[in-house]
Structure formats: C-alpha cells, structure tokens
Amino acid sequence: MASEDEVNEHLIENFRPRLRELVVVQQVLDYLHLIDSNQKERIRKKEANEGNAEAVDLLISAVIRKPHGPGWFTAFVDALEHSGCGYAADIMQANLPAPEVEARNDYCVKLIQLLSPSLVDMKTEDVRVHCLSQDLLTPADAEIVETTTTNKGRASGASELLRRIVRGRPGWFSKFLDILRETGHQHLYELTGGSPDCDKQGSDVEMPSLSDEPAGGKAATEKSPEAAEGCDSTQFMDINITESPQDEATDLYASPEFTAPPNSSEASHPDGTHSVAAAKGPEKADIVLRAYQADVARPALEGKNIIICLPTGSGKTRVAVYITKKHLDNRRAEGQSGKVVILVNKIPLVEQHYAAEFLPYLKRTYKVERVSGDSQLKISFTEIVKKNDVIICTAQILENYLERSNTGEDEGVNLSDLTLIVIDECHHTQKGGVYNHIMMRYLKQKHKNSRLKKEQKQAVPLPQILGLTASPGVGGATKMEKAEEHILRICANLDASKIMTGSLGEYKKEPRKIVVSVEDRKEDPFGDVIKKIMNAIHTHAELSPTCDLGSQNYEQWVVQKERKAATMEDQKVRVCAEHLRQYSEGLNLSNTIRMRDSFGFLNKYHEEERKKKTTPDEEQCIQITETERFLFTLFQENKKELQRLADIPEYENDSLSKLRAKILQEFSTREAARGIIFTKTRRSAIALSQWIQENPKFADIGVKASYVIGGGDQSVVKPMTSAEREDVLTKFSKGEVNLLIATTVAEEGLDIPECNFVIRYGLVTNEIAMIQAQGRGRAEGSSYTLVEVKNSGVAEKECVNEYRKDMMNKAIDRIRALNQKDYDKRILEFQIQAIMEEKVRMTRKKQKGMKNENPSDVKFSCRGCSKHVCTGEDIKIIEKMHRVNVTAQFSELFIQRENTALQERLLDYETNGIIACKDCGRNWGTMMFYRGIECPCLHVKNFVVTFNEKKLSKCTKWSELAVKFSAFDYAEHASQVAQSSDDEET
C-alpha cells in the first residue's frame, strides 16, 4: 500500500500542468521554507530567464525530491495559500470545484486572455485598488502591479493585473466585471459580457434543485457553494440553474383536429383547459397531431433519437404521448415488449404528466404508473418498471437505480431494460446534471457497442431517446459559433440524430411586450435611517465597504467578511456582518415592496435574536456580548423612527406604484383577467401577495391573489409543500384565484392554465427563463410586462436575452442545415470529448476519495462563541444522511427550543425541536425523533470546522468534508437509553 508521501507526490505530479498555470513562483518562494536558499536562487533565475511556467516545474521537482522532511506537503500547501495561490492550494487538498464550475472558470480565463489587448486600456490604478479590496489581488500582487505601472506604464501594469486575477478561485470573474463597471469602464464591461444574471448570494432567491430524492429519501435541495460561484462567475457561460417548466397547455389542442368521444364526460374549463380531476376520468380520444406536430415527430416514429424544440404551449408533451403510444404499438405488433420511461426534473411534474397526459390517452391499452419522492407507492422501483409499460418518474430515481445495478448493491435497473426514454426539458442535459449522468451511461455503452460489433460480439440493446425543450439556450454565447457549439453539445449528450423544429403558423401566440421604467425616489428617509445604522455598525466593527449599501456586491462582501471572521474567531466582526446582511435585505425589501414589509422583517429578526438569548425555562442566562448589546440597542434607538417612516405613503418606491397601476389596468380592461407576477425571492412573493390582499382597490375590481413558492428548505422563509402548491394552482384553474405571485418555481415546469398577462417584477435571468415566462401568457391579446426595480437592470438584461433568443433560433437553423455527415462527425467528437472528461472526473473523484480523513482529525466549535463542541469521532451518521451526536458530554452543551415549523419527514423520524448553544444561543441543528430515540442532529453550517489543525473558511454542507463518519448503531444506543431509563426508575 502506498505511503502518504507517495500519494502526495502522485497528486502533485498529476496536477503539474494545472500548477504551471496557477502558481506564482516569486511569491510562493517567500513562504516556502523546505527548499534551501541555493535552490530558491536557481528557481528565481529560471523564472527570470525562461518564464514562470518553467520555474514552476523546477519548483515542483524541488518540492517532491526525496528524502522528505516531516510535514513537507502541508508546508507546500500552506505556502500556496499564504502567497495568494489559493486555487492551487484547493487543488492540492482535493478541494476541487464541480466540473462545470471548473469548465466555466477555464472559459473565463481564456476570454480574458483573448480580450487582453483591449482590456489593458484600463485605468490600472483604479482597478488595482478595487481588486485588492475584493481580494482578487493579494497585497503582494497589488504592490507588484503598482510597481509595474509606475516603471513600465499603465498597459504593462494592466497586463500584470490580468495575469494575476485569473489565477484566483472560481468566482473572480463576476467581481472583475463589477469592478470594471464601478470604475467607469463601461465599454470594457460590455466587451466582457456584462453583469452576471445570477441571483444574489445569501438571499432566499428561489433555486429549485436539479435533482430530487430517491423514493423514501430526503430531497437534497441545498445549493452547493461551488455551484453558486459557478453561476456567479460568468454571464456568457450562463448555465440555467432554475428548472424548466412543463410548458404544454391545452390551449393549442382545442382545435378541429382534436375531438373528444361523443359520450365523454370529461370536464373542461370555459377557457379550454382541462383540470387534473377531469384527466383522471374516462379515456381520451386518439391523438390527432397538427401538421407541425406530425412533422417534428416523424423521425422519432422511425426509431431515431431526436430533440423536439417547439415553443411553450405548442404541445410537445402531447407529441411525446403520441410517439410513446406508436412505439408501444409497434413493439407489440412485432411480438416484443416495450418499456417507456418519462423523465422529469421536478416532483410536481410527475403527477402532472401522469394525470393530464399519459394516463388519459394510454390507460385503455397500457399500464401507466408514476414514481417520485412524493409517491404513495412504497414498493421497489425495479418492480414498478417490470410491471408497467410506461413509468413517469423524476430523473434522480432512475439514476439511483441504474447506479444500484452498476454497483451490484442490490437489484436495480439497466438501460437495456428500457426501449424508449423521454427526457422532458432536455436542455438540462449538461455537465453536472442528473440527466447528463444518465446519458453518460448511455454514451459509454453506445461506444462500447461499436467495439463489440467490430469484435463480432453481441451488443447491449439501448433505448431510443426523445428530448423535449422549448429553448436549448445559447449557454451565454456572444458569437454564433459558440451558440452552435452549445446546442450541438446538448444534441451530442442526447445522442440526437436531429433537432426538430416547426412553424406554428396560425396557432402561434406572441404576447405583446411592455417595459415599465421607474423613477428613483426623490427622498428615501426610511432607507437613509437603515444606512445610518449600517454605517454605525461599520464604525463599530472597523469595516470599510467599497460598494453601495444594499447592492449585490455589498451582500457578497458581507458574506465573505462573516466567513472570514468566523474562521478567525473574531466574534465582533462576525456578529456585525450577520446583522449587516439583514439590514441589506431590509434595504432590498424597501426598494422592492413596502417600507413596512422591510420594517416587519427587521423587527422580527431582532425579536428572534433576542429570544435566542433566553432559555425556554428562563432559568439560565445566555451570554450577551458587548457587540450584541450594541447591535440590539442600535436597533431599539431607531425602531420608532423606522416604524413612523414606514407608514408615510409618499416615500414608497415608484416600482410598487407602477406595479399597482399595471394590475389595475389589466383587471379593469379585461372581462376575465388572469395573470402571474414573477418576483425574485420567496419573501417578496409573500409580501406582494399580502400587499394586494390588504389594498381595497384591488378587491373592488375582483383581484384574488395568492402566492406560489418552492418546496426546498434552503431558505429562512418556510417552504411550500407540494400539496399547498397544488391547492393554489387548482384554485387558480377554477378562477378562485386569478393572480399568482410566484418565484421561479412557476416560471418553468408547472402546468398553469392560460393567462392574459405576465409581469416580471425586477426579475430577469437568462433567455431560457424569458422564453418560458413569456409562454405563460397564452391567451389572445396577452401581455408580457417588465417592471424595473432599483439596481435590477431588467430592461438591459432583457435586451440581451432577446438578442440571445434570436441567436439561438439562427443557430438551430444553421445546425438543421448541416449536411448529415458533417453533423454526425461533430456530434461524435463532442461525445468522445464528454466521455474523456467523464473519465478525468471519475479519476479525480477517486483521488478525492483517497483523502477520506480520520474523524478524529476534525473538530467543531460553535460559530457563535467559538466554544469547542466535539470531534468527528463523536458524530454518527443515520441513513447515510443525518449527522448526529448522542454522547452524554454533548447533551450538556445545548438547550432545546420549540421548532415553530415542525415538519414530518419521509424517513422514520420527525423533527422535534431546535438545539442551540447553552452559552450564546446559536442554533446548532434540530432534535430528531428517530425510531423512538431523541438524536441531536447537527447542521455543519452552524459550526467552525477545524480540519487537521486548519480552520475551513467555508463549509456549508457535510459533503464538503472528506470524512467518513461511523454509522449510527441503533441497537447499541437504544439499549443504553433503555438501561438509563431502568436506572432512573430504580
């Protein structure tokens, strides 16, 4: 077995090419003491004569040269970290970003290199100062850039600056874009792609997960930090994170070509849409496709793999049902069985496709079933596949069972068991997504089959693939060539022989677009008070922000300060940063909704923080630090003034006034108005709904509003259950609710009846989401309105999205015009590349697995007061998911509070309460009631983690710790609990 030194040597050699790009030799040498002075001098000369990359090679050779001194590898990593080569240090510790994040980062680096002749025409000194404040440059970097600028001129200094920032951790690009904008380099800002379209970090922005749980498991909806940074890192590599909606409505189906059975009792709404309840009724008539639908379906009916790309509301799902039926009919006619799986990316879509589409048309002749984390069926998915002809399920469930079959863990499912896979919203078949994991298995087997055929061996049968999408997007491309490449990669990932589109002709419905601009407040005394409080906190904590208060950049800056302070055990700065983050959110609420909503949010936050400083029985006094007392007093001193100003209507933001006017106009000029307002965060959706309900003018014209938000528990706002969401949508379809206020959860995926109008309130993401949101307005004479909100830039971003939409359509036309031989060649190249990248990814995953450290090397301390809590040896894991600490010592360190949002889970346990630090009141996690035993369940984000004596600055998920915790022994612990109870009774 290889020694630890050999493993580390191998790791360094494997990443030598990467280190050549990321390491700055001159700076590392200053911190690297394991190399003697003579060797350092040789490396410096190498750098001066032949360049940095060659010098890095010599440096690496010196580091791995034997014999090794004790701690040589740790010393090398520390030198990388302290010299500003943090990304290189991450790689050495196998703390790698997700592959898609790394790919986007590489793309950013190449873009900066390509644009450097233009970018050097910057005000180097201004940019240098901002880069230093945003941690894109270390002080040493900044000094070198300044010296170069002084000695060789502004352009040389800019080149030096660019060379250094691209070596940073992923996430540097968006900061650099913002710096260009803030320093007045608008032309360079636009040249590099403009501002990112991602939601701000740290807020409760709706971010539905691309995957969901296995049957009986718990959904992993938490967004990874790597994904967040990847999303933040570039606009032109904009990979859509939000889910795509099922965009098929029945408004285009109610034509002379579709006729219901004469005696059908199927209920329909006056507007032509069909309810879910009606779909569960009698069998629907045979499907008669329209001309454009039949045209796009033709290659699939011939057994070819294709992507169908049709606009929202054009009946893609209906085409998929038709293809499914013909596929099964043909298999049956040939005396063979057929097995069709319909894959979706969100749980609500499972029931929607099942009840509204596949079951009504297929139940007479075929067995149709659905499976998801919400499914009532608790039998094996393998058995469901065996016993049914058509299975509708979330993609993650199929992936889980394909993996089970692959590992031989237990009975799973093989691709060879299936004959047709329909992938809904197939534009998500990209690196990192669950769709892509499934298709990677397919591609590997396909290319293995080619080898088997050459060897005249039996090939493994593979299913036909049918992809459905309204918009593949352009992946942030700014040139047609890149847009084509993005779409071709999706085609390659789906092994599609064609991408099929069609003209809807007379059935096409385009809503008219309206952009409503707003005026900035002439006076904002409420916001001024909040800013005064924030500046007082800055002074108290000795903080100096370099960006506008309340901006996205400010929020990111505060988050970074909080993480750094927690790692450094600087509780003064940490708690101040936490409060500043809440005030920043208060400013955003004031600019988006009402001032009273902002005040209510801030007041509630301070009340909850005060509650944390008292025990439930009020017998024990929890520590309140001088800084916490200062912060509580500061709010109390300004509370009355904030409350007074919040009730003065003339100070409200103009955005809300324009939204009010637009809603009143829509409902007063239409006979049966029905609309959707899309907003950015869950909190703003709830606040807007409340604002409408409290306004008598809306009630007078018949506005009946309700909100729809996501179900993931990644936000401080209580999530919406699938049952609650379905209830609201049912009321909307019946007319009991005629105005939905929704986050991105309704933007894509949910089958919402046709609307007269769609309003996007300060929310614009990418071209895919724009196309989907526009498609919500399907009624005749519908409108699509953008309402500007302060700092949102929605009008500019929407122009970019329109440009991207046109580029996407042109790119699809060019791809369709390709000679089939040329198309097939390009697809094959992309597939081979994808397979090779997957091999690299798996190799890295194995290398990371080698870093599974001993639990005793991990220590946890309270994020609130830095008190040592436990080590990794004390933590056990339940159901491969929940980390608990059931030791007697740990039970003495926390108090329990009531969990106001008690939720039953899908496993054999329920959340019973909240556990918090006895000393400072910081929440640590929840008390689980697992099979009759109370188990304190820890949430790692509430602790500062020390790993091998080094504090981790950013650790928000347990998966980020390369540690294998011991499994929870229920029998052993239960017997100890029983023994303890017996002793007490005695």
Side-chain angles (χ1 to χ4, degrees):
M1 184 176 177
S3 67
E4 184 177 350
D5 283 349
E6 289 171 335
V7 170
N8 290 331
E9 290 169 15
H10 184 64
L11 179 68
I12 293 173
E13 281 293 356
N14 277 349
F15 287 102
R16 184 186 282 259
R18 204 73 170 129
L19 294 174
R20 283 166 60 95
E21 300 170 359
L22 299 175
V23 172
V24 183
V25 163
Q26 291 284 9
Q27 292 170 211
V28 173
L29 287 175
D30 292 337
Y31 292 90
L32 194 62
H33 305 301
L34 58 90
I35 299 177
D36 61 53
S37 56
N38 292 332
Q39 184 65 38
K40 285 184 179 181
E41 191 57 33
R42 284 194 290 272
I43 294 171
R44 288 193 173 97
K45 286 182 179 178
K46 188 85 169 178
E47 192 271 339
N49 297 328
E50 298 181 37
N52 185 75
E54 297 300 322
V56 172
D57 271 336
L58 188 57
L59 171 70
I60 291 172
S61 299
V63 168
I64 63 176
R65 183 175 298 152
K66 297 178 181 178
H68 297 304
W72 67 275
F73 182 74
T74 301
F76 176 52
V77 173
D78 287 345
L80 293 175
E81 184 69 49
H82 293 138
S83 64
C85 302
Y87 194 14
D90 290 346
I91 291 173
M92 288 296 92
Q93 296 173 94
N95 187 17
L96 300 170
E100 69 273 18
V101 175
E102 190 173 15
R104 283 197 295 271
N105 188 68
D106 291 343
Y107 197 99
C108 296
V109 173
K110 289 175 183 175
L111 181 73
I112 294 298
Q113 291 168 348
L114 287 171
L115 297 179
S116 59
S118 299
L119 290 172
V120 295
D121 186 27
M122 66 170 73
K123 300 171 186 174
T124 307
E125 186 56 24
D126 291 350
V127 175
R128 180 189 73 85
V129 171
H130 279 70
C131 286
L132 177 61
S133 69
Q134 291 289 329
D135 295 329
L136 294 187
L137 293 174
T138 65
D141 284 329
E143 188 175 343
I144 291 170
V145 171
E146 184 179 24
T147 302
T148 305
T149 305
T150 303
N151 296 337
K152 298 182 180 180
R154 192 172 69 178
S156 296
S159 295
E160 191 68 38
L161 181 147
L162 293 173
R163 278 197 295 272
R164 290 173 184 275
I165 65 171
V166 298
R167 294 186 174 109
R169 291 181 169 100
W172 58 269
F173 184 78
S174 65
K175 294 181 183 178
F176 181 59
L177 282 183
D178 290 337
I179 289 169
L180 289 178
R181 185 183 60 210
E182 291 168 5
T183 52
H185 297 85
Q186 189 66 27
H187 65 295
L188 298 180
Y189 171 75
E190 292 172 356
L191 179 69
T192 48
S195 62
D197 282 340
C198 296
D199 296 326
K200 64 183 181 176
Q201 287 183 344
S203 74
D204 57 336
V205 175
E206 191 71 14
M207 280 283 184
S209 173
L210 286 181
S211 63
D212 57 67
E213 63 216 287
K218 178 182 176 184
T221 55
E222 199 169 358
K223 191 177 102 175
S224 74
E226 293 89 352
E229 284 200 3
C231 177
D232 198 33
S233 56
T234 173
Q235 176 175 351
F236 56 80
M237 282 295 289
D238 186 10
I239 292 181
N240 188 35
I241 295 180
T242 53
E243 314 303 301
S244 276
Q246 178 51 19
D247 38 41
E248 281 61 14
T250 51
D251 54 310
L252 291 184
Y253 303 145
S255 70
E257 295 161 307
F258 169 72
T259 55
N263 299 322
S264 173
S265 61
E266 175 189 335
S268 65
H269 299 298
D271 60 6
T273 60
H274 304 286
S275 69
V276 171
K280 294 179 181 177
E283 175 102 12
K284 289 189 179 181
D286 286 341
I287 306 166
V288 179
L289 298 182
R290 290 174 172 161
Y292 71 85
Q293 292 173 327
D295 184 55
V296 297
R298 192 169 292 112
L301 297 174
E302 296 169 359
K304 294 178 181 177
N305 294 354
I306 65 166
I307 294 173
I308 292 177
C309 181
L310 288 175
T312 300
S314 59
K316 292 186 295 299
T317 303
R318 190 64 54 86
V319 176
V321 176
Y322 183 87
I323 292 170
T324 297
K325 189 173 188 304
K326 292 300 180 184
H327 172 84
L328 293 171
D329 288 347
N330 292 338
R331 299 279 301 184
R332 182 175 285 181
E334 294 169 0
Q336 298 176 307
S337 63
K339 196 73 65 178
V340 182
V341 170
I342 319 298
L343 298 180
V344 298
N345 55 6
K346 286 199 281 189
I347 291 176
L349 297 182
V350 174
E351 185 65 29
Q352 179 178 299
H353 283 355
Y354 172 79
E357 296 290 345
F358 286 89
L359 183 65
Y361 288 101
L362 301 178
K363 66 181 180 182
R364 184 173 56 191
T365 48
Y366 297 105
K367 293 180 180 178
V368 184
E369 192 51 86
R370 79 287 202 197
V371 186
S372 75
D374 280 354
S375 175
Q376 299 301 311
L377 290 170
K378 297 303 179 185
I379 63 173
S380 166
F381 180 69
T382 307
E383 289 300 311
I384 292 172
V385 171
K386 288 178 181 177
K387 293 177 180 179
N388 293 278
D389 303 300
V390 180
I391 302 94
I392 305 159
C393 67
T394 46
Q396 189 62 53
I397 287 178
L398 177 62
E399 168 63 11
N400 292 341
Y401 277 81
L402 289 171
E403 180 62 21
R404 289 188 185 191
S405 178
N406 182 52
T407 59
E409 179 184 334
D410 56 18
E411 191 176 18
V413 174
N414 295 306
L415 286 174
S416 57
D417 298 331
L418 313 175
T419 59
L420 172 64
I421 297 178
V422 180
I423 301 182
D424 187 39
E425 305 303 346
C426 66
H427 55 268
H428 288 301
T429 314
Q430 302 185 56
K431 282 189 287 189
V434 64
Y435 283 164
N436 205 54
H437 293 161
I438 293 169
M439 286 308 302
M440 188 54 60
R441 298 177 188 276
Y442 179 101
L443 293 179
K444 286 179 179 178
Q445 188 58 57
K446 175 193 171 184
H447 289 278
K448 188 177 180 181
N449 281 349
S450 299
R451 189 173 70 249
L452 291 172
K453 288 177 182 176
K454 290 178 183 178
E455 297 171 358
Q456 297 184 332
K457 294 180 181 178
Q458 185 67 35
V460 176
L462 287 171
Q464 181 185 349
I465 304 296
L466 172 63
L468 307 175
T469 183
S471 168
V474 297
T478 55
K479 294 182 179 179
M480 184 63 68
E481 181 185 352
K482 290 296 180 182
E484 279 188 55
E485 181 179 313
H486 169 79
I487 296 169
L488 280 169
R489 283 186 184 276
I490 293 175
C491 293
N493 292 341
L494 288 158
D495 195 39
S497 62
K498 293 178 183 295
I499 179 168
M500 302 297 296
T501 60
S503 174
L504 273 61
E506 62 181 292
Y507 303 112
K508 186 175 182 180
K509 295 179 182 178
E510 284 281 350
R512 71 181 189 279
K513 179 177 284 190
I514 304 162
V515 178
V516 178
S517 57
V518 300
E519 296 179 5
D520 205 357
R521 284 177 169 134
K522 293 179 181 178
E523 288 184 90
D524 184 16
F526 182 88
D528 291 341
V529 173
I530 293 180
K531 290 177 181 177
K532 182 185 76 172
I533 295 172
M534 295 172 78
N535 285 324
I537 298 174
H538 294 150
T539 302
H540 180 81
E542 298 178 4
L543 295 172
S544 302
T546 56
C547 38
D548 294 338
L549 304 188
S551 67
Q552 181 175 333
N553 290 336
Y554 179 83
E555 179 120 2
Q556 292 172 347
W557 175 80
V558 168
V559 169
Q560 291 166 1
K561 289 294 181 185
E562 191 278 334
R563 286 175 180 160
K564 185 176 181 181
T567 305
M568 302 297 292
E569 297 185 6
D570 185 345
Q571 299 305 335
K572 179 180 178 179
V573 172
R574 183 198 61 77
V575 72
C576 284
E578 283 188 347
H579 280 250
L580 286 169
R581 188 172 169 188
Q582 306 308 315
Y583 283 114
S584 180
E585 179 62 23
L587 274 179
N588 285 317
L589 277 173
S590 173
N591 290 330
T592 308
I593 321 293
R594 296 174 296 182
M595 294 180 291
R596 70 168 64 174
D597 297 309
S598 173
F599 173 75
F601 160 70
L602 291 172
N603 191 47
K604 183 179 178 182
Y605 170 74
H606 281 87
E607 286 178 355
E608 290 177 349
E609 288 299 299
R610 282 184 170 278
K611 284 180 183 177
K612 290 178 183 178
K613 296 302 176 182
T614 57
T615 56
D617 53 15
E618 297 186 355
E619 290 182 0
Q620 180 180 344
C621 182
I622 294 177
Q623 172 191 352
I624 299 180
T625 66
E626 181 183 341
T627 294
E628 287 170 333
R629 187 170 285 107
F630 163 78
L631 293 168
F632 289 146
T633 303
L634 184 62
F635 179 74
Q636 287 300 318
E637 288 173 349
N638 291 276
K639 179 178 177 179
K640 286 185 179 179
E641 181 66 3
L642 286 171
Q643 192 168 14
R644 183 185 71 81
L645 292 169
D647 290 325
I648 303 178
E650 54 262 36
Y651 295 144
E652 290 291 4
N653 66 77
D654 190 40
S655 300
L656 207 59
S657 302
K658 293 291 171 55
L659 179 63
R660 180 192 295 112
K662 184 62 185 173
I663 296 172
L664 292 173
Q665 177 196 347
E666 292 290 350
F667 276 91
S668 59
T669 58
R670 298 180 188 272
E671 287 186 12
R674 181 179 292 168
I676 305 176
I677 300 172
F678 290 108
T679 186
K680 196 171 186 180
T681 66
R682 295 178 176 188
R683 188 177 287 113
S684 63
I686 295 169
L688 274 177
S689 178
Q690 186 177 354
W691 167 68
I692 291 169
Q693 290 167 3
E694 291 175 0
N695 193 319
K697 287 186 179 180
F698 292 131
D700 291 344
I701 58 172
V703 179
K704 294 168 285 188
S706 187
Y707 64 86
V708 174
I709 61 176
D713 197 15
Q714 79 274 21
S715 162
V716 294
V717 178
K718 182 184 177 183
M720 208 171 195
T721 66
S722 57
E724 290 171 333
R725 196 162 49 243
E726 187 176 336
D727 179 58
V728 173
L729 294 177
T730 300
K731 289 178 179 177
F732 189 68
S733 67
K734 292 179 178 178
E736 295 173 20
V737 170
N738 55 20
L739 181 61
L740 286 182
I741 299 94
T743 52
T744 52
V745 70
E747 194 172 61
E748 301 184 343
L750 299 180
D751 186 16
I752 297 173
E754 62 183 29
C755 298
N756 306 112
F757 66 93
V758 172
I759 300 173
R760 295 191 70 146
Y761 187 59
L763 170 67
V764 170
T765 48
N766 59 25
E767 72 280 6
I768 296 176
M770 181 192 74
I771 292 168
Q772 299 281 9
Q774 286 178 345
R776 298 295 123 213
R778 301 172 186 171
E780 292 294 339
S782 61
S783 65
Y784 173 79
T785 305
L786 287 147
V787 178
E788 184 73 79
V789 168
K790 186 177 180 181
N791 297 326
S792 67
V794 297
E796 293 82 358
K797 292 176 182 177
E798 193 75 357
C799 288
V800 173
N801 287 338
E802 287 289 355
Y803 171 76
R804 288 174 173 175
K805 177 183 173 182
D806 292 341
M807 183 189 291
M808 178 193 77
N809 291 330
K810 290 175 183 176
I812 291 174
D813 290 341
R814 289 174 61 163
I815 290 169
R816 285 176 53 76
L818 284 174
N819 175 282
Q820 190 66 40
K821 186 176 180 181
D822 293 337
Y823 173 90
D824 292 341
K825 181 182 178 183
R826 294 189 68 180
I827 291 298
L828 180 61
E829 288 173 354
F830 284 134
Q831 288 179 345
I832 292 172
Q833 180 184 343
I835 291 171
M836 295 304 295
E837 288 174 352
E838 175 72 3
K839 286 183 178 179
V840 172
R841 188 183 73 84
M842 295 306 296
T843 301
R844 287 178 177 171
K845 189 175 180 181
K846 288 178 181 177
Q847 289 172 344
K848 193 170 182 179
M850 294 168 63
K851 297 288 289 181
N852 281 323
E853 302 286 347
N854 191 318
S856 62
D857 294 332
V858 186
K859 296 181 176 65
F860 300 89
S861 55
C862 176
R863 200 173 187 89
C865 62
S866 304
K867 174 179 67 177
H868 174 73
V869 174
C870 63
T871 69
E873 286 181 309
D874 301 323
I875 293 177
K876 309 300 178 186
I877 187 166
I878 295 177
E879 303 286 354
K880 299 181 181 179
M881 191 182 307
H882 307 283
R883 278 74 175 178
V884 300
N885 187 339
V886 294
T887 62
Q889 298 92 325
F890 182 69
S891 65
E892 298 295 322
L893 302 178
F894 65 82
I895 57 173
Q896 285 194 59
R897 292 197 184 99
E898 180 185 358
N899 185 357
T900 54
L902 182 66
Q903 293 181 12
E904 290 191 359
R905 304 296 185 180
L906 297 174
L907 293 177
D908 186 19
Y909 73 90
E910 62 180 23
T911 304
N912 200 33
I914 291 171
I915 60 172
C917 178
K918 256 185 183 179
D919 291 350
C920 70
R922 174 86 185 199
N923 286 354
W924 284 353
T926 53
M927 182 64 78
M928 288 171 48
F929 193 69
Y930 177 67
R931 295 167 65 182
I933 298 177
E934 283 193 331
C935 299
C937 181
L938 279 59
H939 299 172
V940 71
K941 64 183 179 181
N942 297 319
F943 299 91
V944 174
V945 183
T946 304
F947 197 13
N948 285 328
E949 305 304 324
K950 181 181 178 182
K951 289 185 173 65
L952 303 185
S953 61
K954 188 177 179 183
C955 190
T956 59
K957 293 199 306 181
W958 285 108
S959 59
E960 294 167 7
L961 278 177
V963 176
K964 283 189 176 179
F965 297 105
S966 303
F968 177 69
D969 190 329
Y970 173 79
E972 179 185 351
H973 188 66
S975 63
Q976 292 176 2
V977 171
Q979 179 66 40
S980 176
S981 299
D982 292 343
D983 293 343
E984 288 177 6
E985 290 176 6
T986 303

